[in-house]
Amino acid sequence: MLLIESERNNKIMASKYFVGIDVGTNETKGILIDEQGREVVSASTTHGVDNPKPNYFEHDADKVWYKDICIISQKLLNQSKVNPEDIKCIGVSALSSDCLPVDIHGKPLRKAILYGIDARAMAECQELTDKWGENKVIELFGRPLGASDIAPKILWIKNNEPEVYAKTYKFLTASSYITYKLTGNYTIDNFLGLASFNPLYNRNGSINMQYADGICTARQLAELKKTTDIAGYITDEASKDTGLAIGTAVITGGDDSGAEAISSGVMAPGDMLIQMGSTAYMILCTDKLYDDERLWREEFIVPYTYDVSAGTNTSGALTKWIRDTFYLDKVHEQEQGGINAYQAMMQDLKEIPIGSEGLVVLPYFAGERTPINDAHAKGVIFGLNLAHTRKHIMRAAYESVCYSIKHHFEIFKELQIPINQIMVTGGGTKNEQWIQMLSDVLGIRLQTPSVTIGACYGDALMAMIGANHINNFTEAKKLIDIGKVYYPNLENTLKYEPYYKMYIELYKQNKKLMAMMDKINQ
């Protein structure tokens, strides 16, 4: 027995390993994989989101982002017993389209303004639209400026926090800051740089001063690199913080949704990801750019491909609100050793028929990104009567997230974008009833990958490319296996259809009232 254990330890010490870590809205996950792309260990930790006022969402870059990186790194090393020297490369991703100003010493000057859920910069969106012209904005973005664009966020800091702006050495996003903390280098991947920071970078990596003028200087932006390029190496200080070996390579990394797409094998035109996390995010790989103001489009991580992408503001965040608002008793029972509160909710869901007996929810509890792009949008629970219970509200909320995804699929169909394979990832995949519901609402077959931890696995695969352990994304895709397949019940698809139509009409009929409510509450 001792001999077997000794042989196992010798094998661990002699192998090559790769680490991926992803910082999300409410959770950070990490994975350590071997040279065949197989999971050795994984780890996770949770954190919160600051919501100081409506439409304002923030993270503390050090207390959330970097702290979590250190926690996960140490967990992976402690659980695996892998020699840090045997880890050949690290990939990191994080929630995208954040704006973090840092001083000349790399210290954050304020909390990070988060991605599209933070809609504080809508006035700056209009300011830039007036400056550049509506036609030029559509030419540059394929849509109006919105809450997911970083240029308006930078301008918001300039307009509202001039003392912060004056001290800013670099405007970073989450992955850029984490990579800086690990390596001492300021970098951003071309996927984020050309999309979220559009139009501040030229495609050759230089700064486009025609558009940056009045927003920031060239010095204030990070160096543009490919996602799989080596950004730098673990510094002495980062080694002390994380336990990783000094000199370990770190790739540029990027945003969580792009990494999640890679983790599920979205690497060729027609491949699609639905990411069911705190928000829902979709990436559809294409062979050309599709312009539609309701969606986003950009060059994709995989060379010579593009994507159509979309994101809602709530998914798991809404179901968590349902749990914490209506199912606190089940949360307390879980804390006392009872079943998971979400499992209890799913037991209730089975008791309520499709359509929640005349109840429809609009999931716009934090405004909405695509496809309506309306920061004033509000959550609605429509159709309540005295016979309805928390079970009905809960089911209607789950259905609403599926309807919001279907709304996007109607647009993909309208644009005639080919879809060959749909992979579903994220925490929502733990809830098989929900994914079956989504398949039924869409009337489409869905699949999950065998490794479902998500973006951090994509980060680790890209670290393998960055370290030249594998040559390209084609080889990375061969390492990914299909997990579970969901086939739609087409009878259920027909039953959902009238409620979906009601969902669409509800927003149209109440859009003006939602904006009026914001004016009243200003």
Side-chain angles (χ1 to χ4, degrees):
M1 185 69 177
L2 290 175
L3 179 60
I4 292 173
E5 183 66 18
S6 176
E7 288 175 351
R8 188 183 77 86
N9 288 337
N10 287 338
K11 183 178 180 181
I12 289 177
M13 296 294 285
S15 298
K16 294 180 180 178
Y17 295 92
F18 304 87
V19 166
I21 304 176
D22 171 65
V23 180
T25 306
N26 293 293
E27 186 176 23
T28 298
K29 299 178 181 179
I31 191 170
L32 186 147
I33 63 175
D34 65 18
E35 50 197 325
Q36 281 78 45
R38 298 172 302 201
E39 178 180 343
V40 178
V41 292
S42 60
S44 65
T45 188
T46 59
H47 53 255
V49 178
D50 294 326
N51 182 201
K53 61 173 71 174
N55 293 328
Y56 283 51
F57 294 88
E58 301 176 341
H59 269 166
D60 186 303
D62 281 327
K63 293 181 180 178
V64 175
W65 298 346
Y66 188 58
K67 179 182 178 181
D68 279 10
I69 292 292
C70 297
I71 290 171
I72 295 299
S73 298
Q74 292 165 6
K75 281 187 175 183
L76 294 175
L77 291 171
N78 291 336
Q79 292 173 20
S80 68
K81 308 302 182 186
V82 162
N83 184 341
E85 298 286 347
D86 290 332
I87 296 174
K88 301 307 175 185
C89 193
I90 299 156
V92 172
S93 63
L95 57 174
S96 63
S97 303
D98 315 299
C99 184
L100 176 70
V102 300
D103 66 16
I104 196 168
H105 303 293
K107 300 293 185 184
L109 292 166
R110 69 172 332 278
K111 290 182 178 179
I113 300 172
L114 295 191
Y115 55 100
I117 59 174
D118 187 298
R120 74 182 70 189
M122 299 312 294
E124 284 70 25
C125 288
Q126 188 60 53
E127 181 179 341
L128 290 176
T129 300
D130 294 341
K131 178 180 179 179
W132 296 336
E134 289 185 6
N135 291 338
K136 178 56 70 173
V137 168
I138 296 300
E139 178 185 330
L140 290 169
F141 294 85
R143 55 169 174 79
L145 280 162
S148 292
D149 297 306
I150 291 181
K153 296 179 190 291
I154 296 175
L155 190 58
W156 184 91
I157 294 174
K158 182 179 182 181
N159 290 344
N160 294 275
E161 298 177 350
E163 71 288 351
V164 170
Y165 184 88
K167 296 177 182 177
T168 300
Y169 179 65
K170 295 289 181 185
F171 287 105
L172 304 176
T173 192
S175 57
S176 297
Y177 182 69
I178 294 166
T179 302
Y180 162 73
K181 291 289 286 185
L182 294 175
T183 69
N185 298 327
Y186 294 108
T187 61
I188 185 168
D189 75 302
N190 51 0
F191 181 54
L192 272 179
L194 295 175
S196 297
F197 279 81
N198 189 26
L200 304 182
Y201 287 94
N202 293 309
R203 299 200 178 280
N204 65 3
S206 62
I207 307 303
N208 190 336
M209 290 310 301
Q210 175 186 353
Y211 295 104
D213 182 48
I215 299 174
C216 62
T217 66
R219 175 189 60 77
Q220 289 177 308
L221 295 175
E223 179 185 1
L224 195 71
K225 285 178 169 286
K226 292 180 181 178
T227 311
T228 55
D229 283 350
I230 300 300
Y233 302 88
I234 295 292
T235 64
D236 292 6
E237 185 174 355
S239 177
K240 294 174 184 176
D241 292 340
T242 63
L244 298 166
I246 298 171
T248 304
V250 181
I251 62 170
T252 304
D255 86 305
D256 52 355
S257 296
E260 188 110 18
I262 297 303
S263 79
S264 63
V266 176
M267 302 185 201
D271 293 342
M272 183 178 179
L273 164 76
I274 302 175
Q275 179 185 8
M276 302 287 280
S278 297
T279 66
Y281 200 91
M282 289 148 273
I283 293 181
L284 172 54
C285 188
T286 64
D287 59 3
K288 64 178 182 180
L289 289 174
Y290 288 84
D291 283 340
D292 190 290
E293 65 179 16
R294 296 166 291 182
L295 305 171
W296 307 319
R297 83 316 186 242
E298 53 267 320
E299 293 184 16
F300 190 44
I301 295 171
V302 179
Y304 312 113
T305 65
Y306 305 86
D307 74 71
V308 172
S309 58
T312 70
N313 276 353
T314 60
S315 177
L318 177 57
T319 60
K320 181 178 183 294
W321 180 83
I322 292 290
R323 183 198 68 177
D324 295 345
T325 304
F326 296 102
Y327 282 84
L328 265 182
D329 58 323
K330 298 301 180 183
V331 174
H332 294 151
E333 287 177 16
Q334 176 183 332
E335 292 170 349
Q336 298 301 316
I339 68 167
N340 182 280
Y342 287 112
Q343 292 177 346
M345 289 163 62
M346 288 304 97
Q347 290 176 357
D348 283 356
L349 186 142
K350 294 177 182 178
E351 299 177 13
I352 306 300
I354 287 172
S356 305
E357 295 186 313
L359 208 58
V360 176
V361 167
L362 292 185
Y364 311 143
F365 283 52
E368 188 56 298
R369 293 184 287 174
T370 61
I372 63 173
N373 296 294
D374 185 357
H376 301 296
K378 298 286 178 287
V380 173
I381 303 174
F382 177 76
L384 279 170
N385 61 49
L386 294 176
H388 285 131
T389 67
R390 68 178 183 178
K391 298 177 184 180
H392 294 85
I393 296 172
M394 178 269 299
R395 180 177 180 110
Y398 276 96
E399 291 176 340
S400 74
V401 174
C402 298
Y403 296 150
S404 70
I405 294 172
K406 180 180 174 69
H407 196 176
H408 293 86
F409 272 74
E410 295 290 309
I411 299 171
F412 300 150
K413 182 178 180 180
E414 176 188 331
L415 297 175
Q416 298 182 326
I417 306 176
I419 302 176
N420 300 327
Q421 170 181 279
I422 303 171
M423 303 292 281
V424 187
T425 63
T429 59
K430 298 175 184 176
N431 188 335
E432 294 187 356
Q433 286 178 254
W434 195 12
I435 306 306
Q436 184 61 56
M437 178 190 289
L438 178 60
S439 178
D440 291 349
V441 168
L442 296 176
I444 296 174
R445 184 185 71 176
L446 304 175
Q447 302 174 134
T448 60
S450 59
V451 178
T452 60
I453 194 169
C456 61
Y457 184 58
D459 295 323
L461 292 175
M462 288 190 283
M464 295 177 81
I465 298 173
N468 294 318
H469 183 71
I470 57 176
N471 293 317
N472 49 44
F473 287 95
T474 300
E475 291 187 14
K477 189 169 185 175
K478 294 176 182 177
L479 301 175
I480 298 169
D481 296 320
I482 301 297
K484 186 175 176 61
V485 181
Y486 295 83
Y487 295 94
N489 180 325
L490 296 181
E491 290 184 4
N492 288 345
T493 304
L494 292 175
K495 291 178 182 178
Y496 280 117
E497 190 62 27
Y499 297 103
Y500 169 70
K501 290 179 180 178
M502 177 68 71
Y503 168 91
I504 294 296
E505 195 63 28
L506 264 177
Y507 171 69
K508 291 179 181 179
Q509 296 290 339
N510 289 282
K511 179 178 179 180
K512 290 183 179 179
L513 291 175
M514 293 172 178
M516 287 174 59
M517 181 64 79
D518 271 354
K519 288 183 179 180
I520 293 171
N521 287 325
Q522 279 182 350

